Amino acid sequence: MTTLKNKPFSFLFASILFSNLANSIANISLIWLAYNKFNTPLIIAGVLGALQLPSLIIGPFLGGLLDKFQKTNLMIFANFVNALVFIFLIFNNLNTNNNVIIFILLLVISGSMKPLLMGGDSMVIQDIFPNSEERIPANALTTMSFDLTYIFGSMLSGVVIALGYGFKVYTLVGCLYLLVVGCLFVVKNNLNNHKINISKSEYGTFFSNFINALNVIFKNSELVIVLIMDFLWNMLLWAGLTVLLPVVVKVHLSYGAGAYGLLESMTSIGIVLGSFLIGQIRLKKNSLVFGVIGSIGLHGILFITLGLTYNLWVLVIGLIFIGIVVSPALIYKTTFYQQTFDDNSRGALFTIAGTMTSASYPIGIMITSLLSTYFSSKIGFIFVIYGLIITFISIIAIFNIRPKMVK
């Protein structure tokens, strides 16, 4: 792609790849560290909570920093904090209560940095590519990068196991985050960003940015529709699949971890294929919302089919098709946000959108876990209900935006 010939973007893309790789290994190693060191699942919950809760609670507010300071500087700082967690582990085996407390505090700080990264990449792409049509292949590549990393998740797990969850793996993750920092320095030096100095009297505008972001959202009906669709999409279909797929594999297919690993990677393979195709298409500006909603609606229809059969290879093909079908929603959603968000508060807007997505996933996990407990013998019923809900809402949303598209 010619997009990768753009030097700032090529280094930004490299930073995203290294970051996804580091995050994958980090999640595996931290969860294992928590359980292996303390032998209780409660510690796993504590580690995950320390990483996730800060971004959910302060995300929309902290995102305002992206509107006030140079984005690349904040992203560099956030990734350095991520590296610091593992640098601390290199020299510390958590053998005292004080060390454990320091470790948890570092995790909390690291978790609170996520909002700076959630919108930062998209905002930098905005700066690199002023034209929304140029952003589509860039967003396609960033979407592919996540799923490429996810596909190799099992291989990464093997790497972590081989390295022994200790000094070597912590060094590897720390170095990967430092590589991200290095790439972002190159991006920073190739962009003509201007730092906005803030006087003491302006610190109160962070909350004002949040309020302004909410005003921007509620004044744009298409934006409200996309945010709601994205929230429900993640809550029902993505979170639902996470809970339901292992149940289908174990209870209804009577297969083991190998089959589950195969099915788990199929959607990502489809997303990579779909993203490559979508990246070649220049969609008209006023068609982005239709592309997002239509893609989510088709996902709903295909999700229904997953509940109608328990054949392994039919599920493999179905999940690949789902990945191909949802790739437009993933890419066009980001492109739509980039062209719609107000320049004065886009950092807050990006992090509000990201926080909604992050919050919807655990809610969906909880709801689906409860339903699958009561309907364990009728898992297909949950697939059908979730798919019908998303399909029905998508149809309503399309009829709401059609008059604007005709104009």
Side-chain angles (χ1 to χ4, degrees):
M1 286 186 179
T2 55
T3 308
L4 286 173
K5 294 180 181 179
N6 182 296
K7 185 176 179 180
F9 178 75
S10 65
F11 276 90
L12 177 68
F13 181 64
S15 76
I16 293 170
L17 278 176
F18 288 133
S19 178
N20 287 337
L21 194 62
N23 289 337
S24 298
I25 301 175
N27 289 338
I28 295 167
S29 61
L30 287 176
I31 289 173
W32 177 258
L33 169 68
Y35 188 73
N36 192 50
K37 185 77 177 177
F38 301 99
N39 296 312
T40 171
L42 290 176
I43 295 297
I44 296 177
V47 168
L48 293 177
L51 286 170
Q52 298 295 333
L53 289 178
S55 64
L56 294 177
I57 296 171
I58 68 172
F61 301 98
L62 195 59
L65 292 172
L66 292 165
D67 299 312
K68 298 299 179 182
F69 293 99
Q70 191 180 62
K71 294 174 287 295
T72 47
N73 283 343
L74 292 170
M75 294 165 70
I76 288 168
F77 175 74
N79 280 288
F80 182 76
V81 170
N82 289 338
L84 193 61
V85 173
F86 290 89
I87 292 171
F88 176 78
L89 288 174
I90 290 171
F91 300 102
N92 197 294
N93 60 4
L94 305 182
N95 54 359
T96 68
N97 289 336
N98 287 338
N99 289 337
V100 172
I101 291 171
I102 294 171
F103 172 62
I104 295 296
L105 286 175
L106 285 173
L107 285 180
V108 169
I109 296 170
S110 176
S112 67
M113 294 294 104
K114 284 186 178 180
L116 302 180
L117 301 173
M118 289 164 72
D121 291 332
S122 292
M123 292 173 71
V124 173
I125 289 174
Q126 280 181 296
D127 294 336
I128 296 172
F129 301 108
N131 190 307
S132 64
E133 289 186 359
E134 295 175 334
R135 294 170 188 163
I136 291 177
N139 291 327
L141 283 168
T142 57
T143 299
M144 288 170 60
S145 70
F146 175 82
D147 286 281
L148 281 170
T149 307
Y150 191 79
I151 290 169
F152 292 108
S154 58
M155 183 185 73
L156 295 175
S157 300
V159 169
V160 175
I161 292 171
L163 293 176
Y165 298 100
F167 174 84
K168 294 178 181 177
V169 74
Y170 302 146
T171 303
L172 173 62
V173 176
C175 288
L176 284 171
Y177 280 126
L178 292 177
L179 272 174
V180 175
V181 170
C183 289
L184 290 173
F185 265 114
V186 177
V187 175
K188 173 189 173 183
N189 292 333
N190 282 271
L191 285 178
N192 293 320
N193 290 337
H194 299 285
K195 182 177 179 179
I196 301 175
N197 294 317
I198 304 178
S199 65
K200 290 182 180 179
S201 62
E202 290 178 293
Y203 277 103
T205 62
F206 293 132
F207 183 74
S208 301
N209 264 17
F210 175 68
I211 299 300
N212 184 52
L214 293 178
N215 289 332
V216 171
I217 290 171
F218 289 114
K219 287 179 181 178
N220 188 321
S221 59
E222 289 185 347
L223 184 53
V224 171
I225 288 171
V226 172
L227 286 170
I228 292 173
M229 287 293 303
D230 189 34
F231 182 88
L232 294 173
W233 184 36
N234 281 283
M235 184 177 76
L236 298 179
L237 302 195
W238 289 120
L241 187 65
T242 300
V243 174
L244 297 175
L245 191 58
V247 178
V248 169
V249 171
K250 183 177 180 179
V251 176
H252 298 282
L253 296 179
S254 299
Y255 285 113
Y260 174 66
L262 172 70
L263 291 172
E264 186 71 15
S265 63
M266 289 301 104
T267 306
S268 292
I269 290 173
I271 290 173
V272 171
L273 293 173
S275 298
F276 179 78
L277 296 172
I278 294 300
Q280 314 303 314
I281 301 171
R282 296 294 191 271
L283 195 68
K284 291 183 179 179
K285 185 177 179 180
N286 62 350
S287 300
L288 290 173
V289 178
F290 182 81
V292 173
I293 296 172
S295 176
I296 294 174
L298 287 174
H299 187 185
I301 294 172
L302 289 174
F303 202 79
I304 293 171
T305 65
L306 296 182
L308 302 178
T309 179
Y310 293 130
N311 180 283
L312 178 65
W313 295 108
V314 172
L315 289 174
V316 166
I317 295 170
L319 289 169
I320 291 175
F321 270 108
I322 282 176
I324 294 171
V325 162
V326 301
S327 57
L330 296 170
I331 295 164
Y332 295 154
K333 177 186 69 173
T334 303
T335 308
F336 172 68
Y337 288 161
Q338 288 167 340
Q339 75 172 30
T340 305
F341 286 169
D342 181 87
D343 284 341
N344 294 324
S345 56
R346 55 184 177 149
L349 285 160
F350 270 116
T351 49
I352 287 173
T355 302
M356 285 181 65
T357 300
S358 299
S360 64
Y361 197 77
I363 293 172
I365 293 288
M366 180 182 67
I367 293 172
T368 309
S369 297
L370 291 172
L371 289 175
S372 61
T373 300
Y374 288 105
F375 300 101
S376 58
S377 61
K378 299 179 180 179
I379 291 297
F381 171 76
I382 303 176
F383 277 102
V384 172
I385 293 298
Y386 280 9
L388 285 174
I389 291 172
I390 292 299
T391 303
F392 180 68
I393 294 173
S394 298
I395 292 171
I396 294 175
I398 286 173
F399 275 102
N400 271 279
I401 65 169
R402 273 188 66 190
K404 294 185 178 181
M405 290 187 64
V406 172
K407 293 179 183 179

